[in-house]
Amino acid sequence: SQLEEFARKRKSQISKDPLFRTQFQKLCSKLGIDPLASNKGFWAQILGVGDFYYELGIQSIHICLATRSINGGLISLDNLCKKLRKIRQSSGSKSGKDKVSVSDEDVERALKSLEPLGNGIKLVSQPGQRGKPSKKMVISVPVELSSDNLHVLQEAQERGYTNLKTLQSNLGWSRERADRATSTMVKEGMIWIDSQTSAIGEDDFWFPSLMTRSV
């Protein structure tokens, strides 16, 4: 087909340019074609995309597991991508693809392609705060975040932390609702409690996953 011929001619650009790769995937999607459907299909053979995304997904999972003890299994997609690029730039893989530029869309697609394997990795969208764009988070623990949990994340997005009084004031919640929403996240290790520095007599709830240099 014309699409297959186009893919052959632009193979190098599709493999090396993350923006062009995303545009190509959108084109395929409009035509009802999924280049990542199988490692054994035509697209995997001609482009090598099956192996590329599988490897990307496995590396992403390793990062999630390695940082779980500190961030409680919650890491922003931005931070995951930064760590992934650093690893891929500092070490070469057997496939030789570690030097290829990787976009956030590549990582998101790689994680979604591994979902059928039941790896426990989930992507959630955190609503943007005060006109800011939404933020995507990666969860690597067996817990379902409720809409209240996501609102807590939203409130902590700008400063990296929040507290019960702020949640009550900004969201109009009762103290019991705010406490219930944060308790689950504290239990999972997604929140660090700081009882020392708050100027308003409230424990501050810090999210390692939202810190600028979060691990």
Side-chain angles (χ1 to χ4, degrees):
S1 68
Q2 291 181 332
L3 185 61
E4 292 174 0
E5 185 62 26
F6 174 84
R8 286 193 180 94
K9 291 181 178 179
R10 298 297 185 93
K11 177 180 178 179
S12 178
Q13 190 173 3
I14 292 172
S15 298
K16 296 179 180 179
D17 186 339
L19 178 59
F20 190 83
R21 185 163 54 246
T22 297
Q23 293 173 338
F24 176 73
Q25 289 166 354
K26 290 180 179 179
L27 173 62
C28 289
S29 180
K30 289 180 179 179
L31 297 175
I33 298 172
D34 184 1
L36 304 185
S38 171
N39 278 355
K40 300 178 181 179
F42 165 79
W43 297 104
Q45 292 176 12
I46 191 172
L47 300 177
V49 291
D51 290 338
F52 169 67
Y53 281 104
Y54 179 77
E55 182 178 81
L56 204 58
I58 294 300
Q59 290 175 329
S60 298
I61 290 174
H62 284 170
I63 293 173
C64 289
L65 297 180
T67 59
R68 184 188 287 178
S69 62
I70 297 176
N71 58 32
L74 182 69
I75 185 171
S76 69
L77 182 62
D78 289 342
N79 193 28
L80 172 60
C81 291
K82 288 177 183 177
K83 291 182 176 297
L84 185 60
R85 292 185 189 108
K86 185 175 181 180
I87 289 175
R88 291 174 68 85
Q89 288 172 359
S90 63
S91 63
S93 72
K94 295 180 180 180
S95 66
K97 286 188 168 56
D98 277 5
K99 299 301 181 181
V100 174
S101 297
V102 174
S103 68
D104 290 9
E105 289 79 10
D106 285 331
V107 178
E108 186 174 352
R109 193 169 179 83
L111 290 174
K112 288 183 177 179
S113 71
L114 294 181
E115 286 181 357
L117 300 180
N119 54 70
I121 303 295
K122 292 173 291 186
L123 278 163
V124 297
S125 291
Q126 170 198 345
Q129 185 184 40
R130 299 178 181 89
K132 293 185 178 181
S134 62
K135 192 181 187 72
K136 292 184 178 180
M137 309 295 293
V138 182
I139 305 174
S140 59
V141 289
V143 61
E144 291 290 338
L145 293 187
S146 67
S147 59
D148 280 3
N149 294 145
L150 293 179
H151 280 303
V152 173
L153 269 171
Q154 180 183 3
E155 286 300 315
Q157 183 174 334
E158 188 171 336
R159 298 180 298 173
Y161 71 93
T162 188
N163 53 57
L164 296 183
K165 188 172 183 178
T166 298
L167 294 174
Q168 290 177 262
S169 175
N170 291 354
L171 300 176
W173 287 358
S174 65
R175 189 172 183 85
E176 289 73 19
R177 182 176 179 179
D179 182 61
R180 185 167 57 250
T182 53
S183 293
T184 301
M185 306 179 90
V186 169
K187 181 180 179 181
E188 293 296 334
M190 296 177 180
I191 287 176
W192 291 353
I193 298 179
D194 180 5
S195 304
Q196 306 297 320
T197 60
S198 177
I200 60 174
E202 290 273 1
D203 290 346
D204 285 334
F205 300 126
W206 285 89
F207 286 83
S209 55
L210 297 180
M211 296 178 188
T212 304
R213 295 186 178 180
S214 171
V215 291

